[in-house]
Every structure is written in structure tokens, then in C-alpha cells.
Amino acid sequence: MKRVHILFVSLLWVGFFACAQEKKGEETEGPPAVAEEPAAEVAQGEKIMYYTCPMEAHKHVHSQEAGNCPDCGMDLVSVVQTDGTDFEFYTCPMPEHSHVRHSEPGECDECGMKLLPVKLGKT
């Protein structure tokens, strides 16, 4: 029984070190892949908050990645935070409250956070 225990512990250590070496090798192979943002989509000083359906009826749809609207199949467009000079509406910074949209600055109707100026970008 003692031999089985020693063998089991030895196998665990070998597996642990093998995984550690494999992971270490992955880290030195090069920089991790970074998702590329379309250059024309984001101007300097702007950032993509999330993606949404361009249809007003589907403004509740939001995603962290570009794709298609699950309700109508249209391409999702980016919601880009702006500096406040060029914007379409104000919205809550929380994705769960992306349906909150106002034409003037203020606070979110649901959580009270300060609304951010945003505009719809490209797909």
C-alpha cells in the first residue's frame, strides 16, 4: 500500500512539473495575440464600450464582440465613448443598463451612475 501511495505522489509531481514546463514554454514563444480594432472605427480619445444592434427596438442587445443581432440578424455596431463633443446620446457605463439612453447628461435611471456620451460606430 505504501508503494502505491509513493507511486501516486510521484506521478502527481511529474505531471505538475510537466504542465509547468509546458506553460513556461508558451509564455516565451512570443507576445499573446491581441484582438485588432478596425483603425477607422475608433478615433484617438475614444474607446469601444460594447457592441449593439443598430435598430432602436433592439437597443437591449449588447455584446463584448462584434457579431450579429440574435433578434434580427443585423451586424452589431460598436458603441464608442467620446469626449462629449461628437456624440449621439448619453448612456450608462454598465452593459446591463445599455438600454438607458438620454439626449442630455445626467444619471442612470436604474443605478444612478453618471451617463457617458457615446456614438454608434461601425461594425
Side-chain angles (χ1 to χ4, degrees), residues 57-120:
H58 301 158
K59 66 183 180 181
H60 62 279
V61 173
H62 66 272
S63 171
Q64 293 302 314
E65 299 176 356
N68 294 17
C69 175
D71 294 345
C72 67
M74 292 180 69
D75 288 338
L76 298 179
V77 296
S78 60
V79 174
V80 181
Q81 182 178 347
T82 69
D83 60 6
T85 57
D86 179 28
F87 68 95
E88 294 179 34
F89 55 90
Y90 289 88
T91 190
C92 181
M94 294 184 64
E96 296 85 7
H97 302 158
S98 62
H99 59 278
V100 174
R101 295 183 179 182
H102 293 284
S103 59
E104 296 181 5
E107 297 177 347
C108 175
D109 302 333
E110 297 190 19
C111 69
M113 292 180 74
K114 182 179 177 182
L115 299 177
L116 301 176
V118 298
K119 66 180 179 182
L120 296 180

